[in-house]
Amino acid sequence: MSERTPFRWHIAVFLAPAVVIYTLVMIIPLFATLDLSLYSATETGTKFVGLENFRTLFGDAHWAEQFWNAFWNNVWFFLINMAVQNPVGIALAALLSLPRLRFAALYRSAIFVPTILSFVIVGFVWKLILSPIWGIAPSMLAAIGLRHLFEPWLGQETTALTTVALISVWQFIGIPMMLIYAALLSIPEEVIEAAEVDGITGMAQFWKIKLPLILPSIGIISILTFVGNFNAFDLIYVAQGALAGPDFSTDILGTFMYRTFFGFQLQLGDPNMGATIASVMFFIILIGVCLYLFGIQRRLRRYQF
Amino acid sequence: MSISARTSMPRTVAVHTALILYTLIALFPVFVILINSMKSRKAIFREPLALPGPDTFDLVGFQTVLTQGNFPLYFGNSMIVTVVSLALVLVFGAMAAFALSEYRFRGNFLMGLYLAIGIMIPIRLGTVAILKLMAAAHLTNTLTSLILVYTAQGLPLAIFILSEFMRTVSDDLKNAGRIDGLSEYWIFFTLVLPLVRPAMATVAVFTMIPIWNDLWFPLILAPSESTKTVTLGAQTFIGQYVTNWNAVLASLSLAILPVLVLYMIFSRQLIRGITSGAVK
């Protein structure tokens, strides 16, 4: 090549459509939302108020109460998902990856079905099944002699949030199952054989050999669950409505932001406070992702082959 | 030691029992909805777990849905939004992935990182500003607004997965094309794209499901009757007919069936995609 390489236009052409749409519709609005949280609406228009909205959200008794209610509900929602969805998903994956298991493909496809259904379907299906009017849940409990255990779980303040979280577990269990299944399949056969030569089989093999090797994948499903849960909205909206009843007991950050942004019943919508809540959610997710990337993932690396 | 020596009869039975039990938990709710949508109102309440028989079979719910709801319209909207967004994500995503994986240029790494932010930070958090943007562009209550949002939402993961795959395409092939005087565009569209088709199918399935099922953006950006998607349409329809159990169950069945059929067609692709290491 005698001359210097000219500007390679084709690189720009290949990148341009994706970068333009992504920047315009995703990145700019994300930062514009952070920016909106610094303004407040007045009769004459909007004015810059700095961190005043955040002070209202955390300082004003009325706002703070709603925020912390939604926040702790969200934490509980996440904990239930972590504590039930991921262990059960891992257990199912471990069973499915057993050598020479018959019908494995059939089980795998069937267990993944709830994950492809929309929230509208999932929310209403469970609402109907748990409904005290229809009586599928009570009559099934009656069949095994436990009729007295039935309660309108979605309608009681004490049980509604946990019930919704378990419905979410039911819906998304396919994701940890699949990712862990893939990780288990990728463990080299020699490692397993070496373990067997040493007499490590069955459950001990799972705990001592396979589990440490799939820890990176468990890290990934944990962070996926975290981001998904702190951004959740649809299931609660469908099953419990925008008011996240009964008496806000199922209110999480997503529904709280929706109500604040759009208003409900007597309260008017407030885009700036909505943006403030979205910003808080942004920072919560950012902190979680950073903790994972810099704290957990680095430490897990050394287990990979 | 042979593999069969590891597996004992009682253990196999226990494994299958556990898996069958969970399969029942996963499928039971769907099954209940489907069978009851085809029964008369009395039968729904009297024996919710019975299959529809000759004297309980009744399609009144479906009649209500098809005459009262705009489901064909909603279905058309969902199809347009999903198919167009999917096509844009695949074409633009593959182009960007090719640029990142094929050429060395200044800022390549940073550009990759920039495009990956969207994998972790949900686009939903920008909703307030997205609505303002769409209102300013007079795009509220249009399918275009949904297509733009879903394209932006799908691109990061698509670029990430596709660029991993494109690194595996042989350089010899591309260089042979260059020696023959093919332009970079020609090389991309005729040599590289056909080779990454399996990865494209995987990305397609991953992109499609959240778009088809989304409730948030249709509710906020395009809630008008003429632009409702199936998900939002079913949600509002059920809200209005909440006491008409036949109609509710029928509309749920209608919402489940297309996804179920698509899943049956694509499930092998989806599972192969996940287990082939694209997401690891």
Side-chain angles (χ1 to χ4, degrees):
Chain A
M1 297 284 159
S2 53
E3 53 189 316
R4 293 185 57 196
T5 34
F7 184 73
R8 288 172 294 174
W9 276 104
H10 51 268
I11 299 180
V13 172
F14 280 131
L15 280 172
V19 173
V20 168
I21 295 185
Y22 174 73
T23 307
L24 271 182
V25 186
M26 184 151 183
I27 299 297
I28 293 180
L30 270 176
F31 285 97
T33 302
L34 295 181
D35 185 52
L36 272 172
S37 68
L38 303 177
Y39 291 83
S40 190
T42 58
E43 285 108 48
T44 52
T46 54
K47 74 167 202 289
F48 183 80
V49 293
L51 296 176
E52 197 54 46
N53 288 333
F54 290 91
R55 208 167 294 145
T56 311
L57 184 64
F58 295 115
D60 180 272
H62 176 65
W63 281 100
E65 191 202 325
Q66 286 193 71
F67 173 78
W68 290 113
N69 173 51
F71 176 78
W72 289 115
N73 283 344
N74 219 147
V75 170
W76 180 247
F77 188 77
F78 168 63
L79 288 179
I80 296 269
N81 271 278
M82 280 295 281
V84 183
Q85 172 187 296
N86 294 348
V88 176
I90 294 167
L92 288 171
L95 293 180
L96 284 173
S97 68
L98 291 174
R100 301 212 174 165
L101 178 78
R102 300 186 70 188
F103 312 117
L106 198 68
Y107 290 129
R108 221 166 45 198
S109 302
I111 294 171
F112 202 72
V113 162
T115 309
I116 59 156
L117 298 179
S118 84
F119 291 99
V120 174
I121 298 170
V122 173
F124 275 100
V125 163
W126 280 102
K127 238 173 120 166
L128 294 183
I129 289 175
L130 296 177
S131 143
I133 307 170
W134 195 12
I136 285 205
S139 60
M140 284 184 72
L141 281 174
I144 48 171
L146 296 171
R147 174 69 181 81
H148 59 280
L149 285 184
F150 179 78
E151 285 167 39
W153 288 294
L154 278 173
Q156 301 180 140
E157 273 181 52
T158 47
T159 51
L161 182 63
T162 309
T163 310
V164 177
L166 289 173
I167 295 174
S168 165
V169 168
W170 175 82
Q171 183 178 11
F172 287 116
I173 203 138
I175 291 173
M177 179 193 80
M178 285 293 188
L179 293 177
I180 298 296
Y181 176 71
L184 286 169
L185 288 190
S186 72
I187 295 176
E189 188 63 26
E190 302 90 74
V191 176
I192 306 294
E193 275 166 13
E196 267 158 16
V197 170
D198 289 344
I200 305 172
T201 54
M203 288 298 264
Q205 190 185 68
F206 177 78
W207 290 109
K208 289 186 179 149
I209 311 291
K210 291 182 178 169
L211 194 65
L213 291 174
I214 59 168
L215 276 181
S217 298
I218 295 180
I220 291 176
I221 59 174
S222 305
I223 192 67
L224 285 178
T225 311
F226 174 79
V227 174
N229 286 165
F230 275 89
N231 171 41
F233 159 81
D234 312 57
L235 183 63
I236 310 259
Y237 180 78
V238 170
Q240 308 293 78
L243 286 173
D247 194 24
F248 300 110
S249 61
T250 53
D251 199 20
I252 57 173
L253 293 171
T255 43
F256 181 40
M257 165 179 138
Y258 176 83
R259 273 201 322 276
T260 308
F261 179 24
F262 285 96
F264 63 102
Q265 292 176 348
L266 294 176
Q267 183 186 318
L268 281 174
D270 183 342
N272 296 104
M273 279 312 278
T276 308
I277 298 168
S279 304
V280 174
M281 291 165 75
F282 178 90
F283 289 118
I284 292 175
I285 290 176
L286 199 67
I287 291 169
V289 171
C290 288
L291 277 179
Y292 164 73
L293 287 179
F294 300 112
I296 300 175
Q297 199 200 29
R298 276 197 182 171
R299 240 160 266 177
L300 290 177
R301 228 336 92 115
R302 65 188 138 111
Y303 290 108
Q304 288 177 320
F305 342 98
Chain B
M1 184 163 60
S2 76
I3 292 173
S4 58
R6 293 184 214 159
T7 47
S8 62
M9 191 58 193
R11 213 183 100 188
T12 312
V13 172
V15 167
H16 280 281
T17 313
L19 286 171
I20 290 172
L21 210 67
Y22 198 85
T23 304
L24 287 179
I25 297 177
L27 294 184
F28 171 75
V30 177
F31 171 76
V32 168
I33 299 303
L34 291 179
I35 58 167
N36 281 293
S37 68
M38 291 180 281
K39 296 201 297 205
S40 65
R41 191 180 161 81
K42 264 188 196 155
I44 291 174
F45 281 96
R46 205 181 303 140
E47 276 184 86
L49 293 178
L51 287 169
D55 42 322
T56 57
F57 183 76
D58 197 339
L59 292 178
V60 63
F62 288 95
Q63 282 163 6
T64 319
V65 173
L66 292 176
T67 51
Q68 308 291 316
N70 264 330
F71 275 85
L73 173 76
Y74 304 155
F75 192 79
N77 288 339
S78 276
M79 282 302 277
I80 293 172
V81 168
T82 310
V83 170
V84 177
S85 317
L86 190 59
L88 293 179
V89 167
L90 288 179
V91 175
F92 294 164
M95 283 164 64
F98 184 68
L100 290 178
S101 62
E102 178 66 16
Y103 309 110
R104 282 204 222 155
F105 56 93
R106 212 185 300 155
N108 182 315
F109 176 75
L110 280 182
M111 182 59 89
L113 206 62
Y114 173 70
L115 289 168
I117 300 173
I119 299 178
M120 280 303 180
I121 302 292
I123 191 171
R124 217 173 253 195
L125 297 179
T127 305
V128 180
I130 291 176
L131 181 60
K132 282 199 157 188
L133 174 81
M134 294 300 172
H138 300 290
L139 285 175
T140 43
N141 282 324
T142 62
L143 297 181
T144 315
S145 63
L146 293 178
I147 290 170
L148 283 172
V149 168
Y150 293 142
T151 307
Q153 170 188 292
L155 279 171
L157 192 63
I159 295 172
F160 181 74
I161 296 179
L162 290 175
S163 57
E164 292 291 308
F165 266 82
M166 285 187 183
R167 283 182 230 282
T168 65
V169 174
S170 115
D171 279 336
D172 294 345
L173 184 74
K174 287 173 284 193
N175 288 335
R178 287 188 184 112
I179 290 166
D180 287 347
L182 300 182
S183 74
E184 294 297 318
Y185 306 109
W186 196 257
I187 288 173
F188 170 69
F189 281 107
T190 60
L191 296 181
V192 177
L193 265 196
L195 286 175
V196 294
R197 228 170 3 195
M200 300 271 273
T202 305
V203 172
V205 182
F206 279 118
T207 313
M208 199 162 63
I209 297 173
I211 297 178
W212 182 274
N213 285 341
D214 188 39
L215 178 64
W216 176 266
F217 283 111
L219 186 67
I220 289 164
L221 293 178
S224 75
E225 186 61 23
S226 61
T227 54
K228 272 191 185 127
T229 59
V230 169
T231 308
L232 179 59
Q235 150 78 17
T236 27
F237 180 85
I238 293 170
Q240 284 160 6
Y241 285 79
V242 79
T243 50
N244 185 341
W245 287 62
N246 291 89
V248 168
L249 291 165
S251 58
L252 284 176
S253 299
L254 283 179
I256 292 175
L257 284 174
V259 193
L260 217 51
V261 170
L262 270 180
Y263 177 62
M264 282 172 186
I265 299 171
F266 284 109
S267 74
R268 279 185 60 205
Q269 188 61 50
L270 177 81
I271 288 159
R272 205 186 307 144
I274 299 174
T275 51
S276 72
V279 206
K280 274 183 287 176

